[in-house]
């Protein structure tokens, strides 16, 4: 599993938006979003930059 920290999520709508954005990335699977921790976990051979871009495209920021 890979984990990415996300800045700006504040509600379940945010969680759903991030999940939907990540689900559009080919080969990503097993997406889990933790609102309180501000993290998303996923499995699959996925370019981390594509994950960062998908999250940024919906208005959130990946924290490195």
């Amino acid at each position: 599993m890979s984990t990415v920290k996300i800045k700006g999520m504040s509600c379940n709508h945010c969680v759903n938006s991030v999940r939907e954005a990540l689900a559009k990335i080919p080969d990503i699977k097993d997406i889990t979003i933790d609102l309180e921790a501000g993290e998303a976990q996923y499995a699959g051979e996925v370019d981390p930059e594509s994950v960062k871009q998908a999250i940024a495209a919906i208005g959130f920021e990946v924290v490195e």
Side-chain angles (χ1 to χ4, degrees), residues 9-39:
M9 291 192 305
S10 61
C11 64
N12 284 329
H13 178 71
C14 298
V15 169
N16 290 334
S17 294
V18 171
R19 182 177 289 115
E20 289 173 9
L22 293 180
K24 293 177 183 176
I25 299 172
D27 299 323
I28 202 167
K29 54 191 168 208
D30 299 328
I31 301 166
T32 305
I33 313 292
D34 185 334
L35 178 60
E36 288 191 26
E39 294 179 344

Side-chain angles (χ1 to χ4, degrees), residues 2-3 6 13-14 17 30 37 45 57 60:
S2 298
T3 301
I6 303 169
H13 178 71
C14 298
S17 294
D30 299 328
E45 296 293 321
F60 299 104

